[in-house]
């Protein structure tokens, strides 16, 4: 994919490096935005909420 993009845009090595730096900057800014605007954590027993039942799962007593 990268090779096709370089050929299509006719980038030399210096232009390719600049393209990669700009692309990485855009990706990092999107990750940072998602980090601050991200979703809430799901509730998972034992990690985000404590266990409330000591019985084994799948056993009927």
């Amino acid at each position: 994919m990268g090779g096709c993009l370089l050929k299509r845009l006719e980038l030399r090595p210096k232009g390719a490096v600049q393209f990669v730096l700009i692309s990485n900057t855009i990706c990092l800014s999107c990750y940072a935005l998602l980090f601050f605007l991200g979703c809430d954590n799901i509730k998972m027993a034992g990690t985000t909420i404590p266990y409330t039942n000591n019985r084994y799962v799948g056993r009927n007593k």
Side-chain angles (χ1 to χ4, degrees):
M1 184 91 174
C4 292
L5 195 63
L6 288 177
K7 273 189 174 183
R8 183 170 208 124
L9 296 176
E10 297 178 3
L11 294 176
R12 301 280 180 221
K14 184 178 178 182
V17 169
Q18 289 174 346
F19 179 74
V20 168
L21 288 175
I22 291 169
S23 299
N24 283 338
T25 303
I26 292 170
C27 288
L28 283 174
S29 63
C30 289
Y31 282 134
L33 184 65
L34 288 175
F35 180 74
F36 291 112
L37 300 176
C39 301
D40 295 334
N41 290 337
I42 60 171
K43 292 179 178 160
M44 187 182 307
T47 57
T48 57
I49 58 173
Y51 287 112
T52 57
N53 192 351
N54 291 334
R55 294 186 339 180
Y56 291 107
V57 176
R59 283 190 174 178
N60 294 328
K61 288 189 175 187

